[in-house]
Amino acid sequence: MNAHPEGCRLNVAHQIAAVTGQTTAAVGNASAPPLAHEALAGDTVPHNVLVIGASTGYGLASRITAAWGYHARTLGVFFERPPDENKSATAGYYNTFAFDAFARRDGLFAAHLNADAFSTECKREAMAIIRRELAPVDLIVYSLASPKRTDPRSGVVYSSTLKPIRKPYSSRTIELDSEKVIDVTLPPANDKEIADTIAVMGGDDWRLWIEALASEGLLAPGVRTVAYSYIGPELTWPIYRDGTIGRAKQDLDQTAAVLDRMLSPKYEGHAIVAVNKAVVTQASAAIPVVPLYLSLLSKVMRAKGLEESPVDQMRRLFADFLTASAGLQNVDEHGRIRLDDREMRSDVQAEVAALWPQVTTENLRTLSDFGVFQREFRNLFGFEVDAVDYDLPVETDLEL
Ligand code: NAD
């Protein structure tokens, strides 16, 4: 319902610290060591970066990696509620407020656009900022997660659904309010729900962004664009890969191929999908069954020393794929970057699958990392963040 500005600020500081190798306390401090550079040479280092969906989750982590890892100038597009007299702002608003303050102190250019990325006006405004400050762009990160979209051509509002296709799907899940493990049955989506989910979370809007940038002459030679996807283990296929959202992700794959064919001859550029690891974000926590899967996955991956945060994943994306000379050749048979390789390791998945049927309400906290999941979820909104004194008053009325 609300968000804590100081907790959000520290979350952003932790991510910057993860990229620069500083301590969190030193981030944005004038006496801090100079920014660490993951790489500053080579043609594929991004200089001007547009991140669509830049205020939370994977988009924020991408933007922090581009800015502090590579000194890129960034434009972040997001849709967040500012504060008013009665309510705090959303977490993404405070995250961006913090990002902006740290960027200024560290001399990094950062522009922000709080608007509906699906709209034509937002694209037009973004083009104007890019033309003035970041032209030409050499990297576009598409990281939107949204429950609905107004089609800019028809005005039709589409809503996405998270449902299986063709037959109902029954599984166990955690009822987050009561903290109980329960069985749920999800009814299958109808054809309209499938089509609407593709309209929201598929590749159509990504393509509109890239076409708009191309037609305005704002794409740099060698431009890259990346959109994020998820596959996950068979356990979750009925609700994810083979469900409505999976259809939208298939559409994203097809869009990547179309965009790649458009970018490669003209710009020697590339469009690619990166399949990321499952992490706790506002978007993923809303998917039925996923909180239980994430709680078990975290337990298994932490025990093996394999766990990665969104910013760890994005550092790997930039260092090993987007900026490495042969990085984009290291893809799966469908041409996708696989950052979910550790999650999908057979030993990891065998352990998750073995634990899955054993989980009950009583043993949830011992068999799984549900406590970690809850904390990470509250962290997303700036709560339960270490070193924040929640007894102190905090200014919520911050203007970006
Ligand atoms: P998130 O909810 O943390 O972030 C969504 C972002 O989109 C926010 O910045 C929000 O402001 C922005 N946004 C939403 N609607 C908008 C609109 N109309 N206009 C402008 N901005 C808007 O989500 P996330 O989990 O980081 O997901 C980002 C992408 O990563 C999605 O494509 C998702 O499928 C993918 N992904 C997520 C996971 C995961 O486990 N979280 C795993 C793999 C891939």
Side-chain angles (χ1 to χ4, degrees), residues 53-59 77-80 115-118 143-146 148 201 228-230 240 249 276-279 281-284:
S55 53
T56 55
Y58 274 123
V77 179
F78 48 85
F79 208 24
E80 301 290 349
D116 178 7
F118 297 127
S143 186
L144 284 191
S146 174
K148 54 178 196 278
M201 289 296 288
Y228 299 140
S229 186
Y230 181 67
Y240 202 96
K249 294 300 188 188
N276 300 349
K277 164 190 186 300
V279 291
T281 66
Q282 293 182 45
S284 66

PDB file of all heavy atoms in Angstrom, residues 53-59 77-80 115-118 143-146 148 201 228-230 240 249 276-279 281-284, ligand 1:
ATOM      1  N   GLY A  53      10.857   0.786 -18.269  1.00  0.00           N
ATOM      2  CA  GLY A  53      10.540  -0.024 -17.081  1.00  0.00           C
ATOM      3  C   GLY A  53      11.703   0.041 -16.111  1.00  0.00           C
ATOM      4  O   GLY A  53      12.205  -0.980 -15.630  1.00  0.00           O
ATOM      5  N   ALA A  54      12.147   1.295 -15.799  1.00  0.00           N
ATOM      6  CA  ALA A  54      13.460   1.508 -15.172  1.00  0.00           C
ATOM      7  C   ALA A  54      13.418   1.703 -13.663  1.00  0.00           C
ATOM      8  O   ALA A  54      14.464   1.946 -13.065  1.00  0.00           O
ATOM      9  CB  ALA A  54      14.106   2.753 -15.796  1.00  0.00           C
ATOM     10  N   SER A  55      12.240   1.601 -13.030  1.00  0.00           N
ATOM     11  CA  SER A  55      12.165   2.058 -11.644  1.00  0.00           C
ATOM     12  C   SER A  55      12.223   0.961 -10.597  1.00  0.00           C
ATOM     13  O   SER A  55      12.444   1.245  -9.414  1.00  0.00           O
ATOM     14  CB  SER A  55      10.879   2.864 -11.456  1.00  0.00           C
ATOM     15  OG  SER A  55       9.768   2.102 -11.892  1.00  0.00           O
ATOM     16  N   THR A  56      11.988  -0.283 -10.992  1.00  0.00           N
ATOM     17  CA  THR A  56      12.031  -1.392 -10.025  1.00  0.00           C
ATOM     18  C   THR A  56      12.591  -2.630 -10.745  1.00  0.00           C
ATOM     19  O   THR A  56      12.787  -2.621 -11.960  1.00  0.00           O
ATOM     20  CB  THR A  56      10.608  -1.749  -9.495  1.00  0.00           C
ATOM     21  OG1 THR A  56       9.762  -2.028 -10.612  1.00  0.00           O
ATOM     22  CG2 THR A  56      10.001  -0.630  -8.677  1.00  0.00           C
ATOM     23  N   GLY A  57      12.830  -3.691  -9.987  1.00  0.00           N
ATOM     24  CA  GLY A  57      13.143  -5.001 -10.548  1.00  0.00           C
ATOM     25  C   GLY A  57      14.318  -5.006 -11.506  1.00  0.00           C
ATOM     26  O   GLY A  57      15.335  -4.329 -11.293  1.00  0.00           O
ATOM     27  N   TYR A  58      14.140  -5.771 -12.592  1.00  0.00           N
ATOM     28  CA  TYR A  58      15.249  -5.946 -13.538  1.00  0.00           C
ATOM     29  C   TYR A  58      15.596  -4.667 -14.294  1.00  0.00           C
ATOM     30  O   TYR A  58      16.741  -4.452 -14.669  1.00  0.00           O
ATOM     31  CB  TYR A  58      14.918  -7.073 -14.519  1.00  0.00           C
ATOM     32  CG  TYR A  58      15.306  -8.426 -13.986  1.00  0.00           C
ATOM     33  CD1 TYR A  58      14.388  -9.457 -13.856  1.00  0.00           C
ATOM     34  CD2 TYR A  58      16.623  -8.681 -13.604  1.00  0.00           C
ATOM     35  CE1 TYR A  58      14.761 -10.706 -13.359  1.00  0.00           C
ATOM     36  CE2 TYR A  58      17.005  -9.923 -13.108  1.00  0.00           C
ATOM     37  CZ  TYR A  58      16.078 -10.920 -12.985  1.00  0.00           C
ATOM     38  OH  TYR A  58      16.453 -12.142 -12.496  1.00  0.00           O
ATOM     39  N   GLY A  59      14.604  -3.813 -14.537  1.00  0.00           N
ATOM     40  CA  GLY A  59      14.883  -2.566 -15.259  1.00  0.00           C
ATOM     41  C   GLY A  59      15.761  -1.635 -14.434  1.00  0.00           C
ATOM     42  O   GLY A  59      16.731  -1.062 -14.945  1.00  0.00           O
ATOM     43  N   VAL A  77      12.388   5.253 -18.256  1.00  0.00           N
ATOM     44  CA  VAL A  77      10.945   5.446 -18.429  1.00  0.00           C
ATOM     45  C   VAL A  77      10.238   4.502 -17.461  1.00  0.00           C
ATOM     46  O   VAL A  77      10.624   3.324 -17.352  1.00  0.00           O
ATOM     47  CB  VAL A  77      10.516   5.136 -19.880  1.00  0.00           C
ATOM     48  CG1 VAL A  77       9.012   5.319 -20.054  1.00  0.00           C
ATOM     49  CG2 VAL A  77      11.281   6.008 -20.865  1.00  0.00           C
ATOM     50  N   PHE A  78       9.238   4.987 -16.771  1.00  0.00           N
ATOM     51  CA  PHE A  78       8.527   4.164 -15.780  1.00  0.00           C
ATOM     52  C   PHE A  78       7.183   4.806 -15.521  1.00  0.00           C
ATOM     53  O   PHE A  78       6.922   5.938 -15.973  1.00  0.00           O
ATOM     54  CB  PHE A  78       9.347   4.071 -14.477  1.00  0.00           C
ATOM     55  CG  PHE A  78       9.838   5.415 -14.020  1.00  0.00           C
ATOM     56  CD1 PHE A  78       9.047   6.249 -13.262  1.00  0.00           C
ATOM     57  CD2 PHE A  78      11.100   5.873 -14.419  1.00  0.00           C
ATOM     58  CE1 PHE A  78       9.484   7.509 -12.893  1.00  0.00           C
ATOM     59  CE2 PHE A  78      11.549   7.141 -14.046  1.00  0.00           C
ATOM     60  CZ  PHE A  78      10.724   7.966 -13.280  1.00  0.00           C
ATOM     61  N   PHE A  79       6.322   4.098 -14.792  1.00  0.00           N
ATOM     62  CA  PHE A  79       4.980   4.613 -14.518  1.00  0.00           C
ATOM     63  C   PHE A  79       4.743   4.464 -13.032  1.00  0.00           C
ATOM     64  O   PHE A  79       4.404   3.377 -12.563  1.00  0.00           O
ATOM     65  CB  PHE A  79       3.975   3.773 -15.316  1.00  0.00           C
ATOM     66  CG  PHE A  79       2.722   4.516 -15.673  1.00  0.00           C
ATOM     67  CD1 PHE A  79       2.681   5.893 -15.750  1.00  0.00           C
ATOM     68  CD2 PHE A  79       1.556   3.813 -15.967  1.00  0.00           C
ATOM     69  CE1 PHE A  79       1.521   6.561 -16.102  1.00  0.00           C
ATOM     70  CE2 PHE A  79       0.385   4.471 -16.329  1.00  0.00           C
ATOM     71  CZ  PHE A  79       0.376   5.845 -16.389  1.00  0.00           C
ATOM     72  N   GLU A  80       4.969   5.519 -12.279  1.00  0.00           N
ATOM     73  CA  GLU A  80       4.915   5.427 -10.819  1.00  0.00           C
ATOM     74  C   GLU A  80       4.084   6.571 -10.246  1.00  0.00           C
ATOM     75  O   GLU A  80       4.074   7.673 -10.795  1.00  0.00           O
ATOM     76  CB  GLU A  80       6.342   5.484 -10.237  1.00  0.00           C
ATOM     77  CG  GLU A  80       7.271   4.378 -10.729  1.00  0.00           C
ATOM     78  CD  GLU A  80       6.919   2.991 -10.191  1.00  0.00           C
ATOM     79  OE1 GLU A  80       6.087   2.892  -9.271  1.00  0.00           O
ATOM     80  OE2 GLU A  80       7.481   2.007 -10.713  1.00  0.00           O
ATOM     81  N   ALA A 115       5.738   8.213 -17.166  1.00  0.00           N
ATOM     82  CA  ALA A 115       4.617   8.278 -18.107  1.00  0.00           C
ATOM     83  C   ALA A 115       4.274   6.869 -18.590  1.00  0.00           C
ATOM     84  O   ALA A 115       5.053   5.927 -18.389  1.00  0.00           O
ATOM     85  CB  ALA A 115       5.010   9.144 -19.307  1.00  0.00           C
ATOM     86  N   ASP A 116       3.127   6.747 -19.237  1.00  0.00           N
ATOM     87  CA  ASP A 116       2.698   5.446 -19.755  1.00  0.00           C
ATOM     88  C   ASP A 116       3.497   5.103 -21.013  1.00  0.00           C
ATOM     89  O   ASP A 116       3.242   5.666 -22.090  1.00  0.00           O
ATOM     90  CB  ASP A 116       1.198   5.513 -20.052  1.00  0.00           C
ATOM     91  CG  ASP A 116       0.690   4.202 -20.638  1.00  0.00           C
ATOM     92  OD1 ASP A 116       1.458   3.221 -20.683  1.00  0.00           O
ATOM     93  OD2 ASP A 116      -0.487   4.174 -21.050  1.00  0.00           O
ATOM     94  N   ALA A 117       4.425   4.180 -20.869  1.00  0.00           N
ATOM     95  CA  ALA A 117       5.339   3.837 -21.974  1.00  0.00           C
ATOM     96  C   ALA A 117       4.598   3.323 -23.208  1.00  0.00           C
ATOM     97  O   ALA A 117       5.129   3.355 -24.314  1.00  0.00           O
ATOM     98  CB  ALA A 117       6.337   2.776 -21.507  1.00  0.00           C
ATOM     99  N   PHE A 118       3.375   2.820 -23.008  1.00  0.00           N
ATOM    100  CA  PHE A 118       2.615   2.296 -24.147  1.00  0.00           C
ATOM    101  C   PHE A 118       2.049   3.420 -25.023  1.00  0.00           C
ATOM    102  O   PHE A 118       1.600   3.170 -26.134  1.00  0.00           O
ATOM    103  CB  PHE A 118       1.448   1.432 -23.647  1.00  0.00           C
ATOM    104  CG  PHE A 118       1.884   0.198 -22.887  1.00  0.00           C
ATOM    105  CD1 PHE A 118       1.385  -0.076 -21.617  1.00  0.00           C
ATOM    106  CD2 PHE A 118       2.787  -0.697 -23.444  1.00  0.00           C
ATOM    107  CE1 PHE A 118       1.767  -1.219 -20.921  1.00  0.00           C
ATOM    108  CE2 PHE A 118       3.180  -1.838 -22.755  1.00  0.00           C
ATOM    109  CZ  PHE A 118       2.671  -2.100 -21.489  1.00  0.00           C
ATOM    110  N   SER A 143      11.971  -3.565 -20.224  1.00  0.00           N
ATOM    111  CA  SER A 143      11.719  -4.342 -19.003  1.00  0.00           C
ATOM    112  C   SER A 143      10.389  -3.973 -18.367  1.00  0.00           C
ATOM    113  O   SER A 143      10.297  -3.798 -17.159  1.00  0.00           O
ATOM    114  CB  SER A 143      12.884  -4.102 -18.016  1.00  0.00           C
ATOM    115  OG  SER A 143      12.763  -4.924 -16.884  1.00  0.00           O
ATOM    116  N   LEU A 144       9.366  -3.883 -19.196  1.00  0.00           N
ATOM    117  CA  LEU A 144       8.048  -3.541 -18.650  1.00  0.00           C
ATOM    118  C   LEU A 144       7.365  -4.778 -18.095  1.00  0.00           C
ATOM    119  O   LEU A 144       7.457  -5.856 -18.670  1.00  0.00           O
ATOM    120  CB  LEU A 144       7.137  -2.987 -19.751  1.00  0.00           C
ATOM    121  CG  LEU A 144       7.342  -1.573 -20.254  1.00  0.00           C
ATOM    122  CD1 LEU A 144       6.167  -1.178 -21.138  1.00  0.00           C
ATOM    123  CD2 LEU A 144       7.493  -0.590 -19.120  1.00  0.00           C
ATOM    124  N   ALA A 145       6.674  -4.587 -16.987  1.00  0.00           N
ATOM    125  CA  ALA A 145       5.739  -5.612 -16.510  1.00  0.00           C
ATOM    126  C   ALA A 145       4.496  -4.844 -16.098  1.00  0.00           C
ATOM    127  O   ALA A 145       4.571  -3.987 -15.221  1.00  0.00           O
ATOM    128  CB  ALA A 145       6.325  -6.372 -15.332  1.00  0.00           C
ATOM    129  N   SER A 146       3.403  -5.114 -16.762  1.00  0.00           N
ATOM    130  CA  SER A 146       2.213  -4.298 -16.524  1.00  0.00           C
ATOM    131  C   SER A 146       0.971  -5.162 -16.603  1.00  0.00           C
ATOM    132  O   SER A 146       0.902  -6.090 -17.410  1.00  0.00           O
ATOM    133  CB  SER A 146       2.151  -3.206 -17.608  1.00  0.00           C
ATOM    134  OG  SER A 146       0.948  -2.484 -17.488  1.00  0.00           O
ATOM    135  N   LYS A 148      -1.960  -3.947 -17.556  1.00  0.00           N
ATOM    136  CA  LYS A 148      -2.789  -3.559 -18.703  1.00  0.00           C
ATOM    137  C   LYS A 148      -2.088  -2.590 -19.656  1.00  0.00           C
ATOM    138  O   LYS A 148      -1.066  -2.017 -19.316  1.00  0.00           O
ATOM    139  CB  LYS A 148      -4.143  -3.021 -18.263  1.00  0.00           C
ATOM    140  CG  LYS A 148      -4.160  -1.904 -17.274  1.00  0.00           C
ATOM    141  CD  LYS A 148      -5.642  -1.542 -17.069  1.00  0.00           C
ATOM    142  CE  LYS A 148      -5.807  -0.213 -16.418  1.00  0.00           C
ATOM    143  NZ  LYS A 148      -5.703  -0.082 -15.037  1.00  0.00           N
ATOM    144  N   MET A 201       1.812  -8.012 -22.756  1.00  0.00           N
ATOM    145  CA  MET A 201       3.165  -8.439 -22.379  1.00  0.00           C
ATOM    146  C   MET A 201       3.974  -9.020 -23.550  1.00  0.00           C
ATOM    147  O   MET A 201       5.098  -9.465 -23.359  1.00  0.00           O
ATOM    148  CB  MET A 201       3.098  -9.465 -21.234  1.00  0.00           C
ATOM    149  CG  MET A 201       2.682  -8.868 -19.895  1.00  0.00           C
ATOM    150  SD  MET A 201       3.869  -7.640 -19.247  1.00  0.00           S
ATOM    151  CE  MET A 201       5.240  -8.708 -18.759  1.00  0.00           C
ATOM    152  N   TYR A 228      13.328  -8.855 -21.598  1.00  0.00           N
ATOM    153  CA  TYR A 228      13.506  -9.939 -20.626  1.00  0.00           C
ATOM    154  C   TYR A 228      12.374 -10.958 -20.659  1.00  0.00           C
ATOM    155  O   TYR A 228      11.211 -10.606 -20.818  1.00  0.00           O
ATOM    156  CB  TYR A 228      13.642  -9.355 -19.220  1.00  0.00           C
ATOM    157  CG  TYR A 228      14.835  -8.433 -19.088  1.00  0.00           C
ATOM    158  CD1 TYR A 228      14.771  -7.262 -18.360  1.00  0.00           C
ATOM    159  CD2 TYR A 228      16.035  -8.745 -19.743  1.00  0.00           C
ATOM    160  CE1 TYR A 228      15.873  -6.414 -18.256  1.00  0.00           C
ATOM    161  CE2 TYR A 228      17.127  -7.907 -19.648  1.00  0.00           C
ATOM    162  CZ  TYR A 228      17.043  -6.740 -18.909  1.00  0.00           C
ATOM    163  OH  TYR A 228      18.128  -5.914 -18.821  1.00  0.00           O
ATOM    164  N   SER A 229      12.773 -12.202 -20.455  1.00  0.00           N
ATOM    165  CA  SER A 229      11.802 -13.282 -20.469  1.00  0.00           C
ATOM    166  C   SER A 229      12.102 -14.258 -19.345  1.00  0.00           C
ATOM    167  O   SER A 229      13.099 -14.125 -18.624  1.00  0.00           O
ATOM    168  CB  SER A 229      11.872 -14.001 -21.823  1.00  0.00           C
ATOM    169  OG  SER A 229      10.850 -14.954 -21.916  1.00  0.00           O
ATOM    170  N   TYR A 230      11.204 -15.238 -19.214  1.00  0.00           N
ATOM    171  CA  TYR A 230      11.390 -16.264 -18.192  1.00  0.00           C
ATOM    172  C   TYR A 230      10.866 -17.580 -18.747  1.00  0.00           C
ATOM    173  O   TYR A 230       9.914 -17.591 -19.534  1.00  0.00           O
ATOM    174  CB  TYR A 230      10.638 -15.882 -16.913  1.00  0.00           C
ATOM    175  CG  TYR A 230      10.818 -16.888 -15.801  1.00  0.00           C
ATOM    176  CD1 TYR A 230      12.064 -17.055 -15.215  1.00  0.00           C
ATOM    177  CD2 TYR A 230       9.763 -17.692 -15.383  1.00  0.00           C
ATOM    178  CE1 TYR A 230      12.255 -18.008 -14.219  1.00  0.00           C
ATOM    179  CE2 TYR A 230       9.944 -18.636 -14.383  1.00  0.00           C
ATOM    180  CZ  TYR A 230      11.194 -18.789 -13.804  1.00  0.00           C
ATOM    181  OH  TYR A 230      11.384 -19.730 -12.836  1.00  0.00           O
ATOM    182  N   TYR A 240       3.133 -20.834 -16.242  1.00  0.00           N
ATOM    183  CA  TYR A 240       4.034 -19.846 -16.834  1.00  0.00           C
ATOM    184  C   TYR A 240       4.302 -20.133 -18.321  1.00  0.00           C
ATOM    185  O   TYR A 240       3.646 -19.580 -19.185  1.00  0.00           O
ATOM    186  CB  TYR A 240       5.356 -19.699 -16.033  1.00  0.00           C
ATOM    187  CG  TYR A 240       5.971 -18.357 -16.352  1.00  0.00           C
ATOM    188  CD1 TYR A 240       5.765 -17.250 -15.531  1.00  0.00           C
ATOM    189  CD2 TYR A 240       6.663 -18.151 -17.548  1.00  0.00           C
ATOM    190  CE1 TYR A 240       6.234 -15.993 -15.876  1.00  0.00           C
ATOM    191  CE2 TYR A 240       7.132 -16.906 -17.911  1.00  0.00           C
ATOM    192  CZ  TYR A 240       6.924 -15.841 -17.072  1.00  0.00           C
ATOM    193  OH  TYR A 240       7.384 -14.605 -17.437  1.00  0.00           O
ATOM    194  N   LYS A 249       5.390 -14.275 -23.977  1.00  0.00           N
ATOM    195  CA  LYS A 249       6.855 -14.355 -24.076  1.00  0.00           C
ATOM    196  C   LYS A 249       7.281 -14.980 -25.420  1.00  0.00           C
ATOM    197  O   LYS A 249       8.325 -14.626 -25.963  1.00  0.00           O
ATOM    198  CB  LYS A 249       7.437 -15.135 -22.887  1.00  0.00           C
ATOM    199  CG  LYS A 249       7.246 -14.421 -21.537  1.00  0.00           C
ATOM    200  CD  LYS A 249       7.909 -13.045 -21.502  1.00  0.00           C
ATOM    201  CE  LYS A 249       7.893 -12.411 -20.111  1.00  0.00           C
ATOM    202  NZ  LYS A 249       8.366 -11.022 -20.116  1.00  0.00           N
ATOM    203  N   ASN A 276      15.912 -14.464 -17.849  1.00  0.00           N
ATOM    204  CA  ASN A 276      16.492 -14.196 -16.532  1.00  0.00           C
ATOM    205  C   ASN A 276      16.020 -15.204 -15.502  1.00  0.00           C
ATOM    206  O   ASN A 276      15.016 -15.889 -15.684  1.00  0.00           O
ATOM    207  CB  ASN A 276      16.084 -12.792 -16.068  1.00  0.00           C
ATOM    208  CG  ASN A 276      16.566 -11.707 -17.018  1.00  0.00           C
ATOM    209  OD1 ASN A 276      17.369 -11.965 -17.902  1.00  0.00           O
ATOM    210  ND2 ASN A 276      16.073 -10.506 -16.825  1.00  0.00           N
ATOM    211  N   LYS A 277      16.716 -15.194 -14.400  1.00  0.00           N
ATOM    212  CA  LYS A 277      16.374 -16.050 -13.257  1.00  0.00           C
ATOM    213  C   LYS A 277      15.115 -15.512 -12.557  1.00  0.00           C
ATOM    214  O   LYS A 277      14.860 -14.312 -12.582  1.00  0.00           O
ATOM    215  CB  LYS A 277      17.573 -15.989 -12.311  1.00  0.00           C
ATOM    216  CG  LYS A 277      17.331 -16.465 -10.949  1.00  0.00           C
ATOM    217  CD  LYS A 277      18.496 -16.150 -10.029  1.00  0.00           C
ATOM    218  CE  LYS A 277      18.226 -16.807  -8.692  1.00  0.00           C
ATOM    219  NZ  LYS A 277      16.999 -16.343  -8.050  1.00  0.00           N
ATOM    220  N   ALA A 278      14.386 -16.402 -11.897  1.00  0.00           N
ATOM    221  CA  ALA A 278      13.238 -15.969 -11.095  1.00  0.00           C
ATOM    222  C   ALA A 278      13.751 -15.232  -9.857  1.00  0.00           C
ATOM    223  O   ALA A 278      14.616 -15.739  -9.135  1.00  0.00           O
ATOM    224  CB  ALA A 278      12.423 -17.184 -10.659  1.00  0.00           C
ATOM    225  N   VAL A 279      13.248 -14.027  -9.643  1.00  0.00           N
ATOM    226  CA  VAL A 279      13.600 -13.238  -8.456  1.00  0.00           C
ATOM    227  C   VAL A 279      12.326 -12.609  -7.896  1.00  0.00           C
ATOM    228  O   VAL A 279      11.322 -12.529  -8.600  1.00  0.00           O
ATOM    229  CB  VAL A 279      14.624 -12.106  -8.781  1.00  0.00           C
ATOM    230  CG1 VAL A 279      15.988 -12.672  -9.133  1.00  0.00           C
ATOM    231  CG2 VAL A 279      14.110 -11.192  -9.886  1.00  0.00           C
ATOM    232  N   THR A 281      10.061  -9.823  -7.285  1.00  0.00           N
ATOM    233  CA  THR A 281       9.750  -8.451  -7.705  1.00  0.00           C
ATOM    234  C   THR A 281       8.241  -8.279  -7.555  1.00  0.00           C
ATOM    235  O   THR A 281       7.522  -9.258  -7.316  1.00  0.00           O
ATOM    236  CB  THR A 281      10.120  -8.168  -9.178  1.00  0.00           C
ATOM    237  OG1 THR A 281       9.290  -8.970 -10.019  1.00  0.00           O
ATOM    238  CG2 THR A 281      11.578  -8.426  -9.478  1.00  0.00           C
ATOM    239  N   GLN A 282       7.775  -7.064  -7.742  1.00  0.00           N
ATOM    240  CA  GLN A 282       6.333  -6.844  -7.648  1.00  0.00           C
ATOM    241  C   GLN A 282       5.607  -7.688  -8.693  1.00  0.00           C
ATOM    242  O   GLN A 282       4.529  -8.204  -8.441  1.00  0.00           O
ATOM    243  CB  GLN A 282       6.022  -5.361  -7.858  1.00  0.00           C
ATOM    244  CG  GLN A 282       6.566  -4.504  -6.737  1.00  0.00           C
ATOM    245  CD  GLN A 282       6.217  -3.027  -6.924  1.00  0.00           C
ATOM    246  OE1 GLN A 282       5.101  -2.674  -7.242  1.00  0.00           O
ATOM    247  NE2 GLN A 282       7.190  -2.168  -6.720  1.00  0.00           N
ATOM    248  N   ALA A 283       6.214  -7.821  -9.873  1.00  0.00           N
ATOM    249  CA  ALA A 283       5.567  -8.567 -10.947  1.00  0.00           C
ATOM    250  C   ALA A 283       5.539 -10.066 -10.638  1.00  0.00           C
ATOM    251  O   ALA A 283       4.496 -10.718 -10.768  1.00  0.00           O
ATOM    252  CB  ALA A 283       6.291  -8.305 -12.272  1.00  0.00           C
ATOM    253  N   SER A 284       6.667 -10.636 -10.209  1.00  0.00           N
ATOM    254  CA  SER A 284       6.708 -12.094 -10.043  1.00  0.00           C
ATOM    255  C   SER A 284       5.891 -12.554  -8.838  1.00  0.00           C
ATOM    256  O   SER A 284       5.300 -13.628  -8.852  1.00  0.00           O
ATOM    257  CB  SER A 284       8.155 -12.587  -9.925  1.00  0.00           C
ATOM    258  OG  SER A 284       8.749 -12.103  -8.745  1.00  0.00           O
TER     259      SER A 284
HETATM  260  P1  NAD B   1       8.735  -4.935 -11.965  1.00  0.00           P
HETATM  261  O1  NAD B   1       7.300  -4.965 -11.605  1.00  0.00           O
HETATM  262  O2  NAD B   1       9.723  -4.861 -10.854  1.00  0.00           O
HETATM  263  O3  NAD B   1       9.044  -3.686 -12.947  1.00  0.00           O
HETATM  264  C1  NAD B   1       8.151  -3.237 -13.900  1.00  0.00           C
HETATM  265  C2  NAD B   1       8.598  -1.886 -14.441  1.00  0.00           C
HETATM  266  O4  NAD B   1       7.698  -1.515 -15.496  1.00  0.00           O
HETATM  267  C3  NAD B   1       8.549  -0.727 -13.419  1.00  0.00           C
HETATM  268  O5  NAD B   1       9.629   0.152 -13.653  1.00  0.00           O
HETATM  269  C4  NAD B   1       7.233  -0.016 -13.781  1.00  0.00           C
HETATM  270  O6  NAD B   1       7.202   1.383 -13.440  1.00  0.00           O
HETATM  271  C5  NAD B   1       7.252  -0.189 -15.282  1.00  0.00           C
HETATM  272  N1  NAD B   1       5.929  -0.031 -15.893  1.00  0.00           N
HETATM  273  C6  NAD B   1       4.821  -0.798 -15.729  1.00  0.00           C
HETATM  274  N2  NAD B   1       3.823  -0.331 -16.519  1.00  0.00           N
HETATM  275  C7  NAD B   1       4.306   0.744 -17.179  1.00  0.00           C
HETATM  276  C8  NAD B   1       3.787   1.655 -18.142  1.00  0.00           C
HETATM  277  N3  NAD B   1       2.535   1.544 -18.594  1.00  0.00           N
HETATM  278  N4  NAD B   1       4.586   2.654 -18.589  1.00  0.00           N
HETATM  279  C9  NAD B   1       5.861   2.805 -18.136  1.00  0.00           C
HETATM  280  N5  NAD B   1       6.423   1.949 -17.245  1.00  0.00           N
HETATM  281  C10 NAD B   1       5.659   0.945 -16.781  1.00  0.00           C
HETATM  282  O7  NAD B   1       8.957  -6.188 -12.903  1.00  0.00           O
HETATM  283  P2  NAD B   1      10.202  -7.172 -13.198  1.00  0.00           P
HETATM  284  O8  NAD B   1       9.957  -8.447 -12.472  1.00  0.00           O
HETATM  285  O9  NAD B   1      11.505  -6.483 -13.081  1.00  0.00           O
HETATM  286  O10 NAD B   1       9.899  -7.486 -14.728  1.00  0.00           O
HETATM  287  C11 NAD B   1      10.537  -6.855 -15.810  1.00  0.00           C
HETATM  288  C12 NAD B   1      10.674  -7.842 -16.958  1.00  0.00           C
HETATM  289  O11 NAD B   1      11.524  -8.919 -16.529  1.00  0.00           O
HETATM  290  C13 NAD B   1       9.341  -8.478 -17.376  1.00  0.00           C
HETATM  291  O12 NAD B   1       9.344  -8.658 -18.775  1.00  0.00           O
HETATM  292  C14 NAD B   1       9.392  -9.833 -16.697  1.00  0.00           C
HETATM  293  O13 NAD B   1       8.599 -10.802 -17.341  1.00  0.00           O
HETATM  294  C15 NAD B   1      10.878 -10.134 -16.826  1.00  0.00           C
HETATM  295  N6  NAD B   1      11.357 -11.198 -15.906  1.00  0.00           N
HETATM  296  C16 NAD B   1      11.089 -11.134 -14.570  1.00  0.00           C
HETATM  297  C17 NAD B   1      11.528 -12.184 -13.761  1.00  0.00           C
HETATM  298  C18 NAD B   1      11.235 -12.196 -12.276  1.00  0.00           C
HETATM  299  O14 NAD B   1      11.376 -13.249 -11.662  1.00  0.00           O
HETATM  300  N7  NAD B   1      10.865 -11.090 -11.684  1.00  0.00           N
HETATM  301  C19 NAD B   1      12.273 -13.254 -14.292  1.00  0.00           C
HETATM  302  C20 NAD B   1      12.565 -13.243 -15.649  1.00  0.00           C
HETATM  303  C21 NAD B   1      12.101 -12.211 -16.462  1.00  0.00           C
END
